[in-house]
Amino acid sequence: MRLLFIHAHPDDESIATGVAIGAYAAAGHEVHVLTCTLGEQGEVIPPDLQHLDADHEDALGEFRLGEWQAALAALGATGHLLGFDESGAAAYRDSGMAGSPSAARPDAFVNADAGAAIALARKVIERIRPDIVITYENQGGYAHPDHIQAHRIACAAVATLADPPRMYAVLTPRSWVAQDRAWLAAEVSAPGVTIPAADDPVIPSVVDDALVPYAVSDAEGARRQAAAMRAHATQITVHGAWFTLSNDIAARLSGREGYAPLDPITGLLRSGEPVAEAGARGWPV
């Protein structure tokens, strides 16, 4: 099969969908990743690289491009950048969080002309001709404006095709969150690291188990995911079986991901699918 994952920033492919990308690539499928910005607004973890961020040299995007390329090599996927011309100039910039000054910039991805961005995405989709396209659900995982925009652009581009590929959204069953938080509480104790409490709020992509019919759980995919996340050293610190972002909140590397069919016309989940293991044997189509 040929699969295309559409993401907003470098590292999203590894954190959100790295197990599936690694598993399917390892099984011999052709896996592509389309990334919409270079993540210029990201917070930088290593002190010796913090001069690259948007508040200083504003050179983080180019550095994260190298991280992204290394991560894709670890996963075994082919990368594409939305709207990059032959000189390497980006069409869109990381918007940052909603309400931030960076989100008001005219070149921010969230402010992209919809028709132009959809045409750029469709051009990539038509060139790759994927059997399956995977992106976020309609709230962008955790409501980041660029994730929501990537979802909109991906759905609209697929919806315009005469013979559209199947679409899936990455989701997390609510029971997995409970299991992962219990594991973190039992296994992780590190100075300065916050362990999520069992009753802490969850992000929008955490949904009832019944809404997540497909699970990808694969040891080689998990190994490749961890290696790819290590490549994103400005954004992620991997501590064995768990990791932290710049917020120092612990998250488990559980080696599993959930997916649900997505309707590209409405942008909403399609219901009625039976629960099944996707695995590396072939995604349901």
Side-chain angles (χ1 to χ4, degrees):
M1 287 193 303
R2 197 173 292 123
L3 297 90
L4 172 62
F5 292 77
I6 299 180
H7 283 288
H9 315 106
D11 81 12
D12 292 331
E13 81 293 326
S14 301
I15 296 171
T17 59
V19 175
I21 293 173
Y24 279 82
H29 300 287
E30 185 179 325
V31 185
H32 297 261
V33 174
L34 172 60
T35 299
C36 299
T37 79
L38 289 181
E40 295 89 345
Q41 295 299 137
E43 297 177 350
V44 179
I45 295 173
D48 60 335
L49 294 176
Q50 289 175 358
H51 62 92
L52 297 172
D53 70 17
D55 293 331
H56 296 88
E57 296 175 10
D58 198 15
L60 184 58
E62 183 177 356
F63 193 89
R64 291 190 71 181
L65 174 61
E67 293 185 328
W68 177 76
Q69 291 168 332
L72 292 177
L75 291 168
T78 300
H80 309 265
L81 294 165
L82 185 67
F84 275 53
D85 63 24
E86 293 179 357
S87 71
Y92 307 112
R93 181 183 171 94
D94 178 2
S95 306
M97 298 305 293
S100 64
S102 58
R105 292 176 54 127
D107 57 350
F109 183 47
V110 74
N111 298 320
D113 177 81
I118 291 165
L120 290 170
R122 176 171 171 155
K123 184 177 180 180
V124 174
I125 294 169
E126 289 179 327
R127 185 169 70 247
I128 295 171
R129 295 191 304 147
D131 300 294
I132 290 172
V133 172
I134 301 96
T135 190
Y136 316 99
E137 38 67 52
N138 67 340
Q139 295 188 68
Y142 63 100
H144 191 294
D146 283 347
H147 289 217
I148 295 171
Q149 182 78 317
H151 162 89
R152 290 171 178 160
I153 298 303
C155 287
V158 168
T160 63
L161 299 173
D163 185 21
R166 288 288 295 272
M167 288 197 78
Y168 290 84
V170 57
L171 298 163
T172 303
R174 202 174 301 275
S175 67
W176 290 9
V177 172
Q179 293 164 16
D180 291 348
R181 288 180 174 179
W183 183 91
L184 290 165
E187 300 293 333
V188 176
S189 178
V193 171
T194 299
I195 308 301
D199 58 352
D200 279 354
V202 295
I203 60 177
S205 59
V206 175
V207 298
D208 291 342
D209 290 28
L211 296 177
V212 190
Y214 302 116
V216 177
S217 179
D218 183 86
E220 176 60 16
R223 187 196 68 78
R224 293 189 182 201
Q225 179 195 39
M229 289 172 68
R230 289 189 184 95
H232 288 292
T234 62
Q235 307 299 304
I236 309 167
T237 304
V238 178
H239 310 266
W242 57 283
F243 69 97
T244 51
L245 304 178
S246 60
N247 58 14
D248 287 326
I249 298 174
R252 186 184 183 189
L253 281 170
S254 64
R256 59 188 178 183
E257 293 161 358
Y259 294 89
L262 189 62
D263 183 344
I265 296 175
T266 65
L268 303 177
L269 301 180
R270 287 194 293 111
S271 61
E273 297 280 341
V275 174
E277 283 287 326
R281 296 184 300 279
W283 211 295
V285 293

